Amino acid sequence: MSNEHTLFLENIPAYAIGALDAPETGALEAHLRTCETCRAELAAYRALSDNLLVTTPPRAPSASLRRRLRGQLPSAQRTEPRRRSWTLGQWALGFAVLLLLGLNLFALSQVLGLRGQQARLSRQLDSAQAALAMLSYPGTQNLSIQADNVAGRLLLDKDQGTAVLVLWDLPAISQDKTYQIWLIDPNGDRTSAGIFRPETGGRFSMETITLPQDMSKFSGIGVTAEPAGGSDQPTGPRLFKIDF
Ligand SMILES: [Zn+2]
């Protein structure tokens, strides 16, 4: 017992700083419950270590020490990837690639623009040809359009089911608006016959109108300004209306 006590007493400093392994810790704690002397020894060590903690506040290491320590960390031992430096040739190549990319985008936008222009011209040509053909038919009605803001002609062939609207000095409208053509029956009911925008740059607009098979129930035609995409029924201001 006495020998055992001495052994435990020697272990107390290590136990006080948590340096004993698990079996030794268990045995010492069992002994502490029975031995007043060892408990007093432990209390003394605890007081001492607490005082040490209080009397020596933690200090930040100096910058040079920190640098030296950090240099010894494994992460600092890895070689840094060498920074890539571009030669003049590589810069020139990169610039050329960017330039080509830009030129391609420019060309693409030009092609798209031309394609849109081509589609508009093609539509105009179709309308012009339809107008010429209609003027040569004896059955074509050639009606005058006179309104406050616009003048023109309506070429109408009810039997063939085609009509061409020719309008001079059509007022420009904003991008969120469109002109809409309405066929009007004797009761005043309107049926949409398509939408169109004024030709840009031209003095007159030609619009081919596809008519329904049975034109006998309609007695007039009109055009209003509507929100882009058109409306089910006229909602905007009327450009003109004529009877036929
Ligand atoms: Zn003891």
Side-chain angles (χ1 to χ4, degrees):
M1 181 72 185
S2 173
N3 276 348
E4 218 184 1
H5 167 75
T6 310
L7 201 66
F8 284 130
L9 202 57
E10 283 169 358
N11 276 343
I12 280 175
Y15 175 75
I17 59 167
L20 279 189
D21 60 21
E24 283 177 321
T25 299
L28 179 59
E29 281 173 349
H31 175 74
L32 279 169
R33 280 194 284 276
T34 63
C35 179
E36 180 82 27
T37 315
C38 283
R39 277 206 296 276
E41 184 78 4
L42 179 62
Y45 268 101
R46 286 228 164 113
L48 184 69
S49 59
D50 285 354
N51 274 338
L52 279 173
L53 282 177
V54 171
T55 52
T56 56
R59 278 178 50 203
S62 72
S64 61
L65 176 62
R66 220 169 28 217
R67 250 196 322 274
R68 231 177 318 132
L69 289 172
R70 199 175 290 155
Q72 290 165 3
L73 290 174
S75 58
Q77 306 297 322
R78 272 185 266 127
T79 52
E80 277 193 18
R82 200 179 304 162
R83 189 159 297 175
R84 186 179 298 245
S85 65
W86 282 25
T87 65
L88 191 62
Q90 283 170 318
W91 276 113
L93 185 65
F95 181 73
V97 166
L98 281 180
L99 191 67
L100 271 178
L101 200 63
L103 284 174
N104 267 321
L105 287 175
F106 178 71
L108 183 67
S109 74
Q110 294 278 297
V111 166
L112 290 177
L114 283 173
R115 198 174 288 170
Q117 208 175 338
Q118 191 188 22
R120 278 192 301 278
L121 284 172
S122 173
R123 260 200 322 276
Q124 276 176 288
L125 191 62
D126 286 348
S127 292
Q129 282 178 336
L132 273 178
M134 289 181 77
L135 284 172
S136 67
Y137 290 150
T140 297
Q141 287 176 271
N142 187 342
L143 301 158
S144 172
I145 298 166
Q146 287 294 333
D148 289 343
N149 294 320
V150 71
R153 315 292 302 184
L154 173 68
L155 305 178
L156 176 66
D157 188 333
K158 288 184 184 176
D159 296 333
Q160 299 286 332
T162 57
V164 174
L165 207 49
V166 184
L167 297 170
W168 278 270
D169 297 326
L170 191 60
I173 49 172
S174 56
Q175 279 297 320
D176 57 347
K177 292 261 168 59
T178 185
Y179 285 122
Q180 189 161 6
I181 305 164
W182 305 96
L183 296 171
I184 306 163
D185 71 19
N187 298 325
D189 289 334
R190 264 76 168 165
T191 302
S192 176
I195 58 177
F196 67 99
R197 292 187 60 79
E199 300 297 340
T200 48
R203 268 211 67 209
F204 66 91
S205 283
M206 267 192 199
E207 294 301 325
T208 309
I209 306 169
T210 306
L211 299 174
Q213 291 219 318
D214 182 15
M215 273 298 287
S216 61
K217 63 172 183 167
F218 294 109
S219 59
I221 193 168
V223 168
T224 59
E226 299 293 333
S231 305
D232 290 338
Q233 286 295 311
T235 63
R238 176 196 285 169
L239 192 66
F240 70 87
K241 170 184 175 293
I242 55 167
D243 297 319
F244 48 71

